[in-house]
Amino acid sequence: MLRSIGRQWRCSVAFQCPCLCPARQQLPLAPSSEGRAISTSVGQQLKAQQQQQLQEQQQQQQQMHKIDEEVSRLLALKAKLGGDATPANQKFTLKTPKGTRDYAPQQMTLRQGVLDKIVQVFKRHGGEAIDTPVFELKEVLTGKYGEDSKLIYDLKDQGGEILSMRYDLTVPLARYLAMNKISSIKRYHIAKVYRRDNPAMTRGRYREFYQCDFDIAGTYDPMLADAECVKIVAEVLDTLDIGDYVIKLNHRQLLDGMFEACGVPANNFRAICSAVDKLDKSPWADVRKEMVDEKGLDGATADKIGEYVRLSGGAELVEQLLADEKLKAVPNAVKGLEGMQLLLKYCSLFGLEERISFDLSLARGLDYYTGVIYEGVLKAEPSAPASPVKELHNGDQALEQSGTVGSVAGGGRYDNLVGMFDPRGKAVPCVGVSIGVERIFSVLEAKFAASKVKLRTNDVEVYVASAHKGLHEQRLRVLNQLWNAGIKAEHSYKLNPKLLVQLQHCEEHQIPLAIVLGDAELAQGIVKLREVTTRQESNVNLADLPNEIRRRLQK
Amino acid sequence: MLRSIGRQWRCSVAFQCPCLCPARQQLPLAPSSEGRAISTSVGQQLKAQQQQQLQEQQQQQQQMHKIDEEVSRLLALKAKLGGDATPANQKFTLKTPKGTRDYAPQQMTLRQGVLDKIVQVFKRHGGEAIDTPVFELKEVLTGKYGEDSKLIYDLKDQGGEILSMRYDLTVPLARYLAMNKISSIKRYHIAKVYRRDNPAMTRGRYREFYQCDFDIAGTYDPMLADAECVKIVAEVLDTLDIGDYVIKLNHRQLLDGMFEACGVPANNFRAICSAVDKLDKSPWADVRKEMVDEKGLDGATADKIGEYVRLSGGAELVEQLLADEKLKAVPNAVKGLEGMQLLLKYCSLFGLEERISFDLSLARGLDYYTGVIYEGVLKAEPSAPASPVKELHNGDQALEQSGTVGSVAGGGRYDNLVGMFDPRGKAVPCVGVSIGVERIFSVLEAKFAASKVKLRTNDVEVYVASAHKGLHEQRLRVLNQLWNAGIKAEHSYKLNPKLLVQLQHCEEHQIPLAIVLGDAELAQGIVKLREVTTRQESNVNLADLPNEIRRRLQK
């Protein structure tokens, strides 16, 4: 039943009844003005205007409520028609959702190794862990990601709150800080995030993927925290040992200043910045085209930007740009360059000179950065054929084209994000880095697949075997003794498995030790302890077993 | 535009136009029969019937398509009216979604400790880790959870696949095994699952919560794997040291046999089982009412069930029931009891006699169990006041009422779930256990809050301090030396912090060592190393620093 049936309510929008009934007609667009008071004095006019606005708002709300009701009714109807029910035995393609994957034990072993190493680095820098829910109120994510917002996964409205899956770990951190009124923290967060992007799974680009974030929040002196984040990127990439890399550095303030110097209107900075960001995947010609054709820049301005974004270098480039006539005149550019100068100095104190490159083509896609930005990029393997297409100055752009993974870490400073959540706009300056581990996994997976090394996927230390039939209860007793002593042990879940099958299991799974039970030995209170690789066996007293096993394992 | 506008399509359902237009009328319910071929021979009749069915199906699909289109149109309309857009600066309540929480560093430390201990147990039993995506195709989850299916979170249809958040880790495991044709595995999986339940957060019941699952899949001899799962529950609860507990055991086949013996119709077994499952939260009177009023059981049958479900005990109870006249006559009951007999024997070999209770009131909510079921339940603290309401035989039912957490682990055998995914119905028998860690966290959090012990939330070993102004570059050099040596170190991100503030930071954060830099010492190549708790200081050569720090930390 329609609840508002008694009200003077008129549909003010074009409504098309799905059944082709006479309702498929234009209804009047303006709300009915019947009953509206007409008066002459200004005060009364104002009041009347306010009343009218109120009325219009109420009508709009009623319309939306009505639409909600109708949508629910239609969906219920669809469900009745059988739209949502899957018959019990219906066959469908067994798969994981598009852009997602399972992790088998081998891959988990690899992944856990990578995550453990990253956590070690984060803890070395004093990071504390936090965790947030996998979804947020949709409005928490709204307006934070610029052009990428369309990639956010929304949850279905099932009554109650409107939710979306987290798109990164940065916005949830900002929400967490504002909500709990935390003004300083050094936290890490390792968790999955979700983006409805076009997956490229062989290169480690998924719709569900891990991010490993380290962020430093607080009001501090310039560049000290920023330089430490760059150091963390270097330590992570060093410890993971996945090949040569470069950390590109740039500064959003410098980019804005450079855009200003080239003549880009201020309200077009973010859009042009987002175009520059594509330089790591597209040649300059395409990016220029986007600037001119899609974003309305005139060609001469684009060409000026093109001159700058092909520059990269070190401290000497900062000097050169500080002397640049056009940039000198723009305060934002000068501030950005001075920031870069300090950052490069601190990075050199951290021994990073050989690892970093001040690179004006680095822009980063997300809207929320306000200062330093950086990106860790794997260099092409020396053995890999160099790509002939080398737009701009450096070979890294060729990486994506040559099928390697490219960017594996990125981050920067975002001083205004927390303030967006604070009711009084109180800002908490932040700088952080995110490690793109899926790309790192895919590099390591490819390496392991090539090396044909089989990783151990469990940690079993001892296998408890029966030499003949009828020993399963004895096995359970021995296993219980070992488990209670903290020893990792397993056996066959068959009552009477063949000895050969049991010993093969040990060799296949690289289990170092096996215990072989037999009635003759058990009668004397002893068991055979076998070293799986050497196949050497010796008798051990049952009571001594845990200690003897520990001794063997320590060898 | 309606795409199917040219077709002879008639709305066959009652459609109410939201704008109160003339469309609010009953339209004919039967599809139009115009154009249908009428024939006399049986073959032709059959063909005509098939055609009619096809036509009806097509019409139904068209209707559903039409509804989909209309729903999209209405939602787009609503969005235009402003229903979904959040203005940039709109204030909204800063919160996490209903039933979810953030984990602050203190809570993360506690949580990581619990998870590490659980993983240790899982690895002790030879578990391998796997991971699956947080969402699945909706049809993977459909028809697996019985009455609980209404609690599944769906994702919004944004074009592409229809997805739902995982409700547990068991159905994803079954999908994984079927999809990869794996017929045996011993795996653990620690990950968050999602249920749109009524949260009771103080008791650790959330909508987003961790599950720690261990499952053994494969065709094995009876009860060997099942008993190991019970052993794992005991080891986990022992190692977490959260108080006295009991592991209740029962068998789905025995329950079904018992229902049969009491006269429940076979098609009502699962519904009655689901009512019995509520005995841990509701008194028998309420459960009986549900059986009779909602599930149509006659009172006498319910009363017979009531006699059985108040029984609990050990091996002697199995003997007693094997001699029970009514149960003896039902093969399912006898098989279930024989299974229990074997399970109890193996559990006793694992030293679990004091920990387990064969309990006929245990039913478990989920549909997919086919054999042994079990549940680990925390007993009320001896100091806590006993609840006066003691329905049935045991005090555990009073736990929920007295505000403690109750069930913290559960599981059982599910032999048919994997077969539901296999195109040829090939079954992979499975048995497993799930640890409900959120409830365990909430017990531990309450304990820690009461004890007022402050957990360390980072692992920093050394703090690098300045004794006076102008030393920040020296700090960075020393930090770099320490980090490169693998030592966990931090400093202030202020250029010139006060010494007192720096030393207070060390004491507050329980950092064991501090290095104090001063120009006088640095000129001689030495620094002051301070033990924070004793406040003792000694001079150390800069070159020796990492080694000296390691020596101090080992003490």
Side-chain angles (χ1 to χ4, degrees), chain A residues 266-323:
Chain A
N267 62 10
N268 214 358
F269 282 3
R270 287 285 70 75
I272 296 304
C273 189
S274 155
V276 170
D277 180 53
K278 288 162 191 156
L279 276 174
D280 62 343
K281 283 170 200 143
S282 315
W284 166 248
D286 293 0
V287 170
R288 186 186 183 282
K289 197 168 180 315
E290 179 179 331
M291 288 179 177
V292 175
D293 294 357
E294 290 173 37
K295 291 176 174 167
L297 214 60
D298 66 278
T301 305
D303 291 335
K304 280 185 211 161
I305 296 173
E307 292 297 319
Y308 284 113
V309 295
R310 66 190 65 201
L311 299 174
S312 72
E316 80 298 339
L317 177 59
V318 180
E319 297 298 332
Q320 179 192 323
L321 293 173
L322 275 170

Side-chain angles (χ1 to χ4, degrees), chain A residues 8 35 61 133 142 159 257 299 403-404 424 432 546:
Chain A
Q8 284 293 333
Q61 275 170 6
T142 301
T404 44
R424 287 175 202 161

Side-chain angles (χ1 to χ4, degrees), chain A residues 60 81 95 98 102-103 128 131 161 175 186 192 208 221 231 345 457 473 480 490 495, chain B residues 60 81 95 98 102-103 128 131 161 175 186 192 221 231 345 457 473 480 490 495:
Chain A
Q60 194 169 334
L81 286 169
K95 64 185 286 295
K98 184 179 175 190
D102 293 320
Y103 278 81
E128 304 177 300
D131 194 19
E161 299 160 335
R175 192 265 308 146
K186 195 155 61 175
K192 288 177 178 172
E208 173 186 58
D221 282 317
K231 173 75 177 166
K345 185 181 183 187
T457 53
E473 293 194 10
N480 193 47
E490 67 175 4
L495 290 178
Chain B
Q60 195 170 334
L81 285 169
K95 63 186 286 294
K98 185 180 175 189
D102 293 320
Y103 278 80
E128 303 177 300
D131 195 18
E161 299 160 334
R175 192 265 307 146
K186 196 155 61 175
K192 288 177 180 174
D221 283 316
K231 174 73 176 167
K345 186 182 184 185
T457 53
E473 294 193 10
N480 193 47
E490 66 175 4
L495 290 178

Side-chain angles (χ1 to χ4, degrees), chain A residues 172-208:
Chain A
L173 169 66
R175 192 265 308 146
Y176 172 82
L177 296 180
M179 185 174 135
N180 297 290
K181 304 200 186 310
I182 295 168
S183 57
S184 76
I185 195 172
K186 195 155 61 175
R187 84 87 179 80
Y188 68 90
H189 190 182
I190 294 185
K192 288 177 178 172
V193 302
Y194 298 86
R195 299 185 182 178
R196 298 182 62 253
D197 213 339
N198 276 328
M201 321 230 298
T202 50
R203 281 186 285 155
R205 220 171 73 191
Y206 293 90
R207 289 181 156 200
E208 173 186 58

Side-chain angles (χ1 to χ4, degrees), chain A residues 91-214:
Chain A
K91 300 289 172 274
F92 55 89
T93 314
L94 267 186
K95 64 185 286 295
T96 60
K98 184 179 175 190
T100 68
R101 64 184 289 197
D102 293 320
Y103 278 81
Q106 285 263 331
Q107 295 156 338
M108 282 298 280
T109 304
L110 214 56
R111 179 173 109 180
Q112 205 50 53
V114 169
L115 295 183
D116 286 350
K117 283 179 180 173
I118 292 173
V119 168
Q120 261 181 3
V121 173
F122 289 171
K123 286 191 167 180
R124 195 182 301 147
H125 290 265
E128 304 177 300
I130 73 158
D131 194 19
T132 64
V134 79
F135 39 58
E136 294 276 349
L137 299 185
K138 184 178 170 64
E139 49 204 350
V140 166
L141 307 187
T142 301
K144 310 296 187 305
Y145 299 105
E147 289 181 11
D148 287 352
S149 294
K150 63 182 184 296
L151 303 180
I152 294 174
Y153 277 96
D154 292 328
L155 270 80
K156 190 165 147 186
D157 180 0
Q158 293 172 289
E161 299 160 335
I162 304 298
L163 307 176
S164 298
M165 306 286 285
R166 63 181 163 212
Y167 182 84
D168 65 5
L169 303 176
T170 311
V171 170
L173 169 66
R175 192 265 308 146
Y176 172 82
L177 296 180
M179 185 174 135
N180 297 290
K181 304 200 186 310
I182 295 168
S183 57
S184 76
I185 195 172
K186 195 155 61 175
R187 84 87 179 80
Y188 68 90
H189 190 182
I190 294 185
K192 288 177 178 172
V193 302
Y194 298 86
R195 299 185 182 178
R196 298 182 62 253
D197 213 339
N198 276 328
M201 321 230 298
T202 50
R203 281 186 285 155
R205 220 171 73 191
Y206 293 90
R207 289 181 156 200
E208 173 186 58
F209 59 99
Y210 262 97
Q211 280 196 337
C212 302
D213 279 26
F214 185 99

Side-chain angles (χ1 to χ4, degrees), chain A residues 11-41:
Chain A
C11 184
S12 68
V13 290
F15 175 78
Q16 295 185 317
C17 175
C19 64
L20 307 181
C21 74
R24 285 176 48 71
Q25 57 191 352
Q26 289 289 122
L27 288 170
L29 269 159
S32 157
S33 65
E34 286 166 15
R36 196 184 303 155
I38 311 287
S39 61
T40 44
S41 86

Side-chain angles (χ1 to χ4, degrees), chain A residues 326-351:
Chain A
K326 271 191 295 197
L327 295 180
K328 249 164 64 173
V330 180
N332 256 339
V334 175
K335 274 185 210 153
L337 285 166
E338 285 168 354
M340 284 308 300
Q341 210 163 28
L342 194 57
L343 178 69
L344 293 178
K345 185 181 183 187
Y346 290 162
C347 283
S348 122
L349 287 170
F350 284 158

